[in-house]
Amino acid sequence: MRIATYNVNSITARLPRLLAWLESSGTDVLCIQETKCTAEQFPAEALREAGYESAVNATGRWNGVALLSRVGLTDVVTGLPGGPEYDGAQEPRAISATCGPLRLWSVYVPNGREVEHEHYAYKLRWLEALRKAVAADTAGTRPFAVLGDFNVAPTDEDVWDPALFEGATHVTPAERAALAALEAEGLSEVHPRPLKYDRAYTFWDYRELRFPKNKGMRIDLTFGNAPFTAAVKDSYVDREERKGKGASDHAPVVVDLDL
C-alpha cells in the first residue's frame, strides 16, 4: 500500500497536476493540506472519477485538509477534538478516517507567524490538543499514523541554514518539544529519503530561486505507531513534483507499506 502527504497550496489551482500525480504515483491514500477552498468547492467529483473517495474539512480562506482514498474511507472525524479556537472558531486543520487497514490523520499545524505573536501560542496549544487527541489510536493494534504539514523542522539538519532561522518560528525549542511530546504518546517518525541531494527537504519558498538552489525545509512529516512503522518498506520525498510551472511550494512525501 502506498500513502502520501501533500500540501497542495490550493487544490483548485493544482487539480490537473494532482490528478496526474495520483495516476503516475499509484498512491492509495493521500493526506492533503491547504486546500484553500470551501467544502462545496472541493473537487470531489473529479477525484471520484479518478477512483478516490474523499473526506474534507474546509471553509475557504487559507486552511483546509482532506483525505483521499481508493481503499475505503469510513469513520470520518472532522476537526481536532478538544482543539483550540483562533479568532473565535476552530480552523479546519485536521481530519481523520479509517482507510482500509489504516487509521490516518491529515493535519495542517498552524504556522505560528512570529514567536511574539498570538498565533505562536495558538500553535503550541494546537499541538498539545493533537497529542491528547491521538493517544487512544496510538495505543491500538491497528496501524495508525498522523501525516501532514507540521510547520516545524524537527532538527537543525532540517533547514538549509539554521543561522537564518535563529529566533524565528518553526525551529524553536518549544515547537520541537511539542513534536517530542507527540512521539512520547507512542509514535515514531518515519524519515523519508531524498531523491536528490543529501537532505530530504519538503518545502522550498517560491522566492529567491529557493528550489533550484535547494534552500528548503523539512516540515511535512509522518508519525506512526508501532504496527505502522513495522510495515514501512520505504519513504521518500517526491522532489520531481515540485518542479515546473504551477507546482506547489511543497513536495509530496510518500510512504510505502507492506500491508
Side-chain angles (χ1 to χ4, degrees):
M1 177 179 286
R2 173 164 288 180
I3 67 172
T5 181
Y6 188 13
N7 180 321
V8 295
N9 189 13
S10 175
I11 194 167
T12 52
R14 232 62 66 188
L15 184 59
R17 287 187 64 127
L18 176 61
L19 291 170
W21 183 81
L22 286 168
E23 182 177 6
S24 65
S25 68
T27 299
D28 296 301
V29 183
L30 179 62
C31 300
I32 290 178
Q33 302 85 44
E34 207 169 353
T35 60
K36 290 186 177 179
C37 68
T38 65
E40 293 74 22
Q41 294 167 331
F42 189 82
E45 184 57 35
L47 292 162
R48 187 178 299 111
E49 291 176 359
Y52 292 87
E53 296 179 78
S54 57
V56 59
N57 180 15
T59 57
R61 300 175 68 183
W62 305 109
N63 304 313
V65 289
L67 280 163
L68 311 181
S69 175
R70 61 180 187 182
V71 294
L73 189 65
T74 60
D75 303 321
V76 176
V77 175
T78 300
L80 177 59
E85 294 184 349
Y86 192 76
D87 283 344
Q90 186 177 133
E91 296 178 319
R93 294 184 174 274
I95 193 166
S96 58
T98 300
C99 303
L102 303 169
R103 183 73 185 172
L104 299 174
W105 283 65
S106 175
V107 301
Y108 182 33
V109 176
N111 178 281
R113 300 180 187 173
E114 299 173 355
V115 173
E116 305 301 325
H117 199 284
E118 169 57 23
H119 208 258
Y120 177 78
Y122 163 62
K123 179 179 191 174
L124 297 179
R125 293 196 303 271
W126 200 96
L127 283 165
E128 173 61 11
L130 177 65
R131 180 191 68 79
K132 293 178 180 178
V134 304
D137 281 321
T138 62
T141 58
R142 176 173 53 185
F144 168 75
V146 185
L147 305 91
D149 179 355
F150 280 77
N151 272 313
V152 181
T155 72
D156 283 352
E157 291 294 309
D158 297 309
V159 295
W160 66 274
D161 187 347
L164 292 180
F165 289 87
E166 188 173 348
T169 59
H170 292 60
V171 300
T172 64
E175 290 166 290
R176 290 173 172 173
L179 289 188
L182 183 66
E183 289 188 274
E185 289 295 335
L187 297 173
S188 299
E189 188 181 353
V190 176
H191 293 271
R193 59 184 174 88
L195 294 185
K196 186 178 182 180
Y197 302 111
D198 60 344
R199 297 182 183 180
Y201 297 142
T202 65
F203 166 82
W204 301 260
D205 198 293
Y206 289 127
R207 298 170 296 180
E208 301 174 351
L209 298 175
R210 293 280 179 89
F211 178 67
K213 295 178 181 179
N214 200 38
K215 295 181 176 181
M217 305 175 69
R218 190 174 72 87
I219 57 177
D220 301 87
L221 311 173
T222 300
F223 294 95
N225 68 355
F228 181 92
T229 57
V232 173
K233 298 191 299 179
D234 191 16
S235 181
Y236 61 90
V237 179
D238 190 351
R239 192 178 185 278
E240 293 298 305
E241 188 56 26
R242 176 59 176 80
K243 294 180 178 179
K245 184 178 180 181
S248 172
D249 46 5
H250 294 249
V253 180
V254 176
V255 182
D256 288 333
L257 303 164
D258 188 8
L259 289 172

